[in-house]
Amino acid sequence: MYRQKKNGLEAPVEYTASDSIVYLAGSNTAYLYGSTNVKYENMDLKSEKVYMSLDSNLVHATGIADSLEAKGLSGTPVFQMGNDTYENDTIAFNFKTKKGLINNVYTQQEDGFLTSEVAKRNDNGEIFLQHGRYTTCDEEHPDFYIALSRAKVRPGKDVVFGPAYL
């Protein structure tokens, strides 16, 4: 008996861009420029620049270089999945597996704020942080925080972390 292989995504991917969309049929990739928006099921991604590989179900988003901004980037990605929102410098996300890799992430969890240099998101929404900070101060450069070498965030439940420093 042959098992039918399930290919493709469960729902359509909707995407828009204010500047331009370049589609390369040979490699089945799309490049979106200028105030882009990519939606898939309960995921919403807004960024200035997006690259999508339609064969492998990958989306990669980043901002554009801007010398006037403090971070050196403008139009950085804002990733929303369900009730959770993540602001970051770059993100790579797989539509099918719902896994992602995020650089320089900033997110609010309950009454606190988490930042991290590198974060990975698994398929059940858990986030694994490396070189993170937790604070209740909403400033870009908080006066106080707990420095986390590693942490695991289960949104809506808890945060578990390894060595921490005040």
Side-chain angles (χ1 to χ4, degrees):
M1 177 184 283
Y2 293 103
R3 261 184 20 193
Q4 186 177 12
K5 210 174 190 182
K6 190 173 186 180
N7 290 331
L9 296 172
E10 301 293 320
V13 177
E14 299 174 17
Y15 53 91
T16 60
S18 65
D19 186 351
S20 60
I21 297 175
V22 178
Y23 175 69
L24 303 176
S27 60
N28 207 15
T29 56
Y31 296 88
L32 290 73
Y33 300 98
S35 300
T36 66
N37 188 1
V38 177
K39 292 182 181 181
Y40 175 71
E41 292 181 336
N42 68 339
M43 185 229 38
D44 190 1
L45 175 63
K46 294 178 180 161
S47 182
E48 195 63 27
K49 188 165 60 173
V50 171
Y51 157 77
M52 289 191 328
S53 175
L54 304 177
D55 285 339
S56 60
N57 305 316
L58 291 176
V59 63
H60 183 271
T62 186
I64 58 171
D66 188 349
S67 60
L68 299 177
E69 290 291 323
K71 293 191 292 185
L73 291 172
S74 67
T76 54
V78 176
F79 178 80
Q80 184 175 1
M81 189 142 203
N83 295 330
D84 300 320
T85 301
Y86 309 98
E87 298 175 27
N88 49 75
D89 287 352
T90 60
I91 183 170
F93 183 76
N94 188 314
F95 294 125
K96 207 169 211 173
T97 63
K98 298 197 178 8
K99 294 180 182 179
L101 180 65
I102 308 168
N103 289 336
N104 296 324
V105 66
Y106 174 83
T107 185
Q108 182 174 357
Q109 297 291 324
E110 306 260 335
D111 295 331
F113 301 91
L114 280 167
T115 60
S116 175
E117 288 179 16
V118 179
K120 288 184 180 179
R121 182 189 187 284
N122 68 11
D123 53 348
N124 30 340
E126 297 171 338
I127 302 167
F128 300 89
L129 306 174
Q130 184 176 3
H131 303 295
R133 292 180 177 179
Y134 176 80
T135 183
T136 54
C137 178
D138 62 354
E139 298 293 323
E140 184 177 345
H141 301 288
D143 298 329
F144 56 91
Y145 58 86
I146 299 173
L148 311 170
S149 58
R150 291 181 309 218
K152 177 181 177 181
V153 179
R154 296 189 307 173
K157 294 181 182 175
D158 58 8
V159 177
V160 181
F161 51 88
Y165 309 96
L166 292 174

